[in-house]
Amino acid sequence: MMDLDIMEACSVLSSLGTLAIALTSWYQIRRDARIGYVPMVVIDDFARWNGHLIAEIRNYGTGPALDLRMWMVRGRDVLPIEPSVNGRRVTGLHLAPTEAKRVQLEAVARESASSYAVSSSEPLPAVIRMRYRSVRGRTFEGQTHVPPELG
């Protein structure tokens, strides 16, 4: 093969060891960054207020939840929700880590542009579905069952 003296062989081995450390460090930094920004959005509680369904939403994760979208599921119907926070409809719902918001849930009928709130005369949705993303671009989904005793 090649004739290397002891110093050259040690230099080559040292270079290979440095390269191995750099590669494992790069992998560890990427893994830690991916783990470090994981949102986990949960609906903690539901309530009725003035005939409307209110949800207490909290992010228990380590990163922000961006562009939170929700849908009501009633039987076979899946209706998108336009959330209202503090009486104002929001177009983009974001939650920082450990942040909580009280959201009034209003569904939008697909066949018309009109929206309706979940009132006491209507049956409650069985499930609320959620989809959101992290700052790293990963998409997360979840769902929560609405307690039937609210109806």
Side-chain angles (χ1 to χ4, degrees), residues 115-127:
S115 65
Y116 60 92
V118 179
S119 65
S120 56
S121 62
E122 298 174 356
L124 284 173
V127 173

Side-chain angles (χ1 to χ4, degrees), residues 34-35 37-39 132-140:
R34 186 179 303 167
I35 292 171
Y37 295 101
V38 177
Y132 51 95
R133 61 184 176 81
S134 72
V135 293
R136 299 284 184 203
R138 293 174 54 201
T139 302
F140 298 89

Side-chain angles (χ1 to χ4, degrees), residues 3 14 20 23 30 35 44-45 57 59 61-62 73 94 108-109 135 140 142-143 148:
D3 290 328
S14 175
L23 288 175
R30 281 189 50 129
I35 292 171
D44 280 338
D45 194 20
I57 301 174
N59 181 0
T62 57
V73 180
H94 311 294
V108 178
V135 293
F140 298 89
Q143 68 180 24

Side-chain angles (χ1 to χ4, degrees), residues 72-87:
M72 289 183 184
V73 180
R74 283 191 184 126
R76 293 185 178 179
D77 294 332
V78 178
L79 300 171
I81 294 173
E82 290 187 357
S84 296
V85 178
N86 296 329

